[in-house]
Amino acid sequence: MSDKKAQLTIGSDSYEFPVMQGSTGPDVIDIRKLYGQTGAFTFDPGYKSTASCESSLTYIDGDEGVLLHRGYPIGQLAEHSSFMEVSYLLLNGELPSKDELDTFEDTITRHTMLHEQLSQFYRGFRRDAHPMAVMCGVVGALSAFYHDSTDISDPMQRRIASHRLIAKMPTIAAMAYKYSIGQPFVYPDNSLSYTGNFLKMTFSVPAEPYEVLPAVEKAMDRIFILHADHEQNASTSTVRLAGSSGANPFACIAAGIACLWGPAHGGANEACLNMLREIGTPERIPHYIERAKDKNDPFRLMGFGHRVYKNYDPRATVMQKTVREVFEALNVNDPIFEVALRLEELALEDDYFKEKKLFPNVDFYSGAILSAIGFPTTMFTALFALARTVGWVAQWNEMISDPGQVIGRPRQLYTGPTQRDYVPIDQR
Ligand code: CMC
């Protein structure tokens, strides 16, 4: 808390509210007593000016295009770290020592298998089900299988549930993919890295040997790092809100997956690649830019714009570099990358995008990489969910460990009818 105070005047009455300061970032006016003191609520439906919680995990400076996990810039983590190391960092607050990382990786590796009964669950879905539909269902169902880690008041159970979720998500996502293409499920191979194991479960078949390509493993791991956490975004806020009622962690993460699915959030990577394919060639780009600017056309440039970033999304910078590396390693020459580069160039020169500060976000280039690796577009958001699980889990743990935590319960501006008497049906 700082010495600063915020003054509020409503009609002839004045009120004073404390101002809180974080370690960096904007000041926050503490309005928890606003209703009690004034009888008024605040109105901020999209939370554009609302800090919903206190957190020490991730910091974003949207104007400067900065993203820090526990203080470390995302560019440095993407360049030098691994997804397992970043996961440890998010969960524990500090980078691990060599021993701590080995132990953590060993723990996660030992939770990669799914209860065998869960494979029956998959068989209940249609083969053409979207992988995100399968992920919502299967992750929610984990709470029916792992009863020994659903007591949220026990820190050890919370820890085990967190490890289980991080470890099992690649298995769940890979199985969703295998089921959709009619291939047998591939069991985890604990001799491989977290990411190598995921690639093997996704792309290998029992009939043939499979070798994980180091360049692909590195790119995939980097994509996981770039998606690991992102402050109080819609799905993370959903996980926190679901968790605030005391719901078990598997149910909370399933809620996060459901929220992530939408095209304004995690679903944008799938929508973006579909858009780039529809555009097809650089000559057609101006037409789509005009459409994006037309208020009467619902079309938006997918992979462009962000609620918080009013500058280049630092994750998009790393993604753009990774596209080149992956295309080179796999000898891919997909015209989609040229379309993306040119679209970015033309949009950034355009006054509409300049004025509204719309820049490429994390989803703009990720689709080109994932497609080159061999994932169908429907898997893109499932991969986002896989990687974001550690962020969700870390944020959920942070919230549950806070002794001051209360159920999230917003109020509203009511605009419906005021009280009136019931009218029998024959008199209406
Ligand atoms: N194309 C064209 N116009 C846009 C776009 C876009 N992609 N994004 C925003 N605008 C315009 C919008 O029409 C509005 O104009 P006006 O002020 O004249 O009404 C203005 O920019 C502000 O947009 P907004 O929708 O009020 O801003 P927001 O903060 O509520 O939305 C967003 C942020 C990410 C939902 C939005 O930029 C968008 O829909 N982008 C495309 C979808 C996308 O790429 N989502 C991925 C986000 S990053 C990964 C993640 O979070 O999952």
Side-chain angles (χ1 to χ4, degrees):
M1 206 71 71
S2 74
D3 295 338
K4 281 194 216 165
K5 301 275 179 224
Q7 308 283 341
L8 175 71
T9 306
I10 306 177
S12 55
D13 298 319
S14 282
Y15 306 89
E16 208 170 66
F17 296 95
V19 174
M20 299 168 80
Q21 277 177 333
S23 45
T24 182
D27 288 351
V28 168
I29 303 164
D30 178 357
I31 53 157
R32 279 175 287 186
K33 296 199 173 139
L34 178 87
Y35 178 57
Q37 289 181 3
T38 68
F41 295 141
T42 54
F43 185 66
D44 187 19
Y47 306 111
K48 289 189 177 185
S49 301
T50 297
S52 65
C53 64
E54 201 176 311
S55 179
S56 62
L57 273 150
T58 293
Y59 173 72
I60 304 174
D61 182 335
D63 294 327
E64 295 298 322
V66 169
L67 167 60
L68 310 176
H69 290 321
R70 302 283 195 187
Y72 296 102
I74 190 67
Q76 289 183 23
L77 293 173
E79 187 71 28
H80 304 295
S81 187
S82 67
F83 180 65
M84 278 293 93
E85 195 178 49
V86 172
S87 298
Y88 183 98
L89 173 69
L90 286 170
L91 290 171
N92 299 292
E94 294 297 336
L95 286 168
S97 66
K98 171 87 178 71
D99 279 355
E100 285 166 339
L101 181 60
D102 288 348
T103 307
F104 180 68
E105 286 185 330
D106 190 58
T107 306
I108 296 297
T109 303
R110 281 163 202 283
H111 283 298
T112 50
M113 276 175 56
L114 280 189
H115 191 293
E116 192 60 20
Q117 188 73 18
L118 266 166
S119 61
Q120 307 295 326
F121 217 84
Y122 281 81
R123 297 185 211 289
F125 287 99
R126 283 168 52 140
R127 292 270 174 196
D128 61 355
H130 195 287
M132 285 298 276
V134 177
M135 300 276 289
C136 287
V138 175
V139 173
L142 292 178
S143 40
F145 287 85
Y146 299 101
H147 297 149
D148 58 347
S149 54
T150 51
D151 177 359
I152 64 156
S153 63
D154 178 352
M156 184 50 85
Q157 291 204 28
R158 292 207 300 270
R159 199 170 183 77
I160 296 171
S162 305
H163 291 159
R164 281 182 167 148
L165 277 157
I166 295 164
K168 292 183 196 309
M169 208 56 94
T171 317
I172 292 169
M175 284 170 71
Y177 174 63
K178 285 299 192 196
Y179 185 73
S180 73
I181 56 170
Q183 286 186 359
F185 297 139
V186 175
Y187 285 100
D189 176 347
N190 288 349
S191 70
L192 297 173
S193 70
Y194 182 86
T195 302
N197 178 40
F198 170 63
L199 290 168
K200 183 173 176 198
M201 288 189 291
T202 306
F203 294 119
S204 74
V205 287
E208 311 233 343
Y210 179 81
E211 205 187 321
V212 180
L213 279 179
V216 172
E217 187 178 2
K218 189 171 159 217
M220 196 72 239
D221 200 70
R222 195 182 276 167
I223 290 177
F224 288 163
I225 294 174
L226 294 178
H227 287 92
D229 192 45
H230 211 229
E231 210 228 46
Q232 306 311 320
N233 57 85
S235 59
T236 301
S237 299
T238 301
V239 169
R240 279 187 179 258
L241 195 55
S244 76
S245 74
N248 76 70
F250 305 108
C252 296
I253 302 305
I257 293 173
C259 177
L260 185 76
W261 194 356
H265 192 8
N269 52 15
E270 178 178 349
C272 180
L273 195 80
N274 290 338
M275 173 194 79
L276 292 173
R277 294 232 183 275
E278 187 184 314
I279 297 175
T281 58
E283 306 79 69
R284 286 165 50 86
I285 293 172
H287 169 65
Y288 284 86
I289 290 193
E290 287 314 308
R291 282 190 61 194
K293 289 158 52 176
D294 182 355
K295 287 279 155 239
N296 298 317
D297 188 334
F299 174 79
R300 281 187 170 199
L301 277 196
M302 299 315 285
F304 249 80
H306 198 275
R307 170 62 62 81
V308 183
Y309 293 117
K310 301 303 166 197
N311 201 327
Y312 213 96
D313 179 339
R315 301 168 301 171
T317 315
V318 184
M319 282 291 182
Q320 199 202 67
K321 186 171 158 239
T322 309
V323 185
R324 289 184 203 281
E325 286 171 11
V326 169
F327 278 26
E328 210 174 287
L330 295 177
N331 210 7
V332 168
N333 189 12
D334 189 337
I336 230 64
F337 186 40
E338 289 315 312
V339 173
L341 283 174
R342 187 76 185 128
L343 177 56
E344 175 189 332
E345 197 175 281
L346 290 180
L348 294 183
E349 281 168 5
D350 193 290
D351 285 344
Y352 173 93
F353 291 87
K354 276 193 206 159
E355 274 158 25
K356 295 187 190 302
K357 298 191 175 157
L358 300 170
F359 292 85
N361 60 48
V362 68
D363 292 320
F364 192 64
Y365 288 106
S366 62
I369 308 173
L370 296 175
S371 173
I373 293 176
F375 290 102
T377 44
T378 51
M379 274 299 286
F380 292 1
T381 314
L383 300 177
F384 193 156
L386 186 173
R388 182 56 57 85
T389 295
V390 64
W392 290 331
V393 157
Q395 299 262 0
W396 172 81
N397 267 302
E398 184 180 60
M399 178 185 71
I400 301 294
S401 315
D402 177 355
Q405 183 262 324
V406 290
I407 188 168
R409 199 337 183 156
R411 301 303 302 267
Q412 62 175 4
L413 172 66
Y414 179 68
T415 54
T418 52
Q419 184 169 332
R420 49 185 171 166
D421 289 326
Y422 177 80
V423 180
I425 197 162
D426 55 354
Q427 292 169 31
R428 281 175 224 160

